[in-house]
Amino acid sequence: MKLIPKKLMVLVVALAALFTFAAAAPVRADDWALTGTGVRVKTIAFIDIDVYEISHFMKQTPASRSKQAVIDADVPKKFVWKMLRDVDKEKIHDALTGAFAMNGYKDQAKIKAFVGAFQGELKEGARITIQYDPEKKTTTVAVGGSSASVAGVDFMKAVWSIWLGKIDQPNLGDQLIGRLK
C-alpha cells in the first residue's frame, strides 16, 4: 500500500499525539493506574548504587496530586519492586526499620511482622509486592514464597510514608506520583 505524503504526515501527527497523551496519562492494567516509577539509590562514599526499581499503582487516584494525598488514600494501591542487585536480609531489615523510625512510626509488633517477610537475601531480579486492601484494612508484603499481612490504616500510611514521606531520596517520592494529574 502506497501512502501519499499528506496521508503520511497526518498519520505521523496522529501517532505523535497518541504517544504524547500516553506519556502523560497514567498507564492502566487490570484497573491499576501506574502513578510513577523510580529507582532507589544508595549512596556509599560518593558512589550511587541502584538498589531496586519501584513502581506505584492505584485503582483510584486521589483528587489532589500530592504525596500526602496518596499516603492518606484508603483505596487499593501497591508498590512493586524489582531488585537491581543482590541485597542481604539484614540490610533490607535495617533500611525498612530505619524508614519507619524516620517517619515516626513506632508500633514494633507491626514493623516486625512486616519486615519478617524478608527472610533471605534478595537476589537481583527478585520481585516484591506491597499491596493495601481497603476492604480488609490490611497491607500485605509478598517476597518470593514468603508474605505477611499487617492490619490497620495506620500501618498502611506508615508503609506509604517510607517512599512518599520523609526519605533520604525525596525525588523518588516525586517520581512515584509523577504520572498523577
Side-chain angles (χ1 to χ4, degrees):
M1 180 169 108
K2 185 176 179 182
L3 293 175
I4 60 174
K6 187 174 183 178
K7 286 184 180 178
L8 181 59
M9 181 59 78
V10 170
L11 179 62
V12 168
V13 169
L15 285 173
L18 179 64
F19 287 124
T20 300
F21 173 76
V27 176
R28 293 199 169 269
D30 298 328
D31 294 328
W32 288 100
L34 172 65
T35 65
T37 298
V39 174
R40 181 67 171 119
V41 175
K42 181 69 177 171
T43 302
I44 300 174
F46 306 107
I47 298 173
D48 288 342
I49 300 169
D50 293 347
V51 181
Y52 56 81
E53 178 182 77
I54 183 169
S55 297
H56 184 258
F57 301 85
M58 299 178 82
K59 288 214 175 186
Q60 300 162 317
T61 56
S64 72
R65 184 184 183 267
S66 73
K67 292 183 270 189
Q68 192 60 52
V70 173
I71 290 168
D72 292 338
D74 192 8
V75 300
K77 55 189 176 180
K78 65 182 174 180
F79 289 108
V80 178
W81 301 1
K82 179 185 174 197
M83 296 302 297
L84 300 176
R85 64 181 309 100
D86 296 351
V87 178
D88 66 45
K89 173 176 92 170
E90 290 76 23
K91 286 183 180 174
I92 290 291
H93 284 207
D94 291 347
L96 290 170
T97 302
F100 282 118
M102 184 183 298
N103 283 283
Y105 192 74
K106 298 178 180 164
D107 188 327
Q108 294 303 313
K110 289 182 177 183
I111 293 169
K112 185 176 180 180
F114 181 81
V115 172
F118 295 85
Q119 296 182 356
E121 180 179 35
L122 294 176
K123 296 289 189 180
E124 182 177 345
R127 294 200 180 268
I128 296 89
T129 302
I130 302 168
Q131 186 166 331
Y132 176 68
D133 181 339
E135 291 179 19
K136 295 179 182 176
K137 305 293 186 209
T138 59
T139 302
T140 300
V141 57
V143 184
S146 179
S147 68
S149 292
V150 181
V153 173
D154 66 317
F155 187 73
M156 172 273 290
K157 289 180 181 184
V159 170
W160 261 253
S161 293
I162 290 173
W163 294 277
L164 302 173
K166 292 180 184 172
I167 182 173
D168 62 350
Q169 187 183 339
N171 67 333
L172 181 57
D174 296 333
Q175 292 169 345
L176 291 172
I177 67 162
R179 288 181 151 290
L180 286 177
K181 291 188 174 191

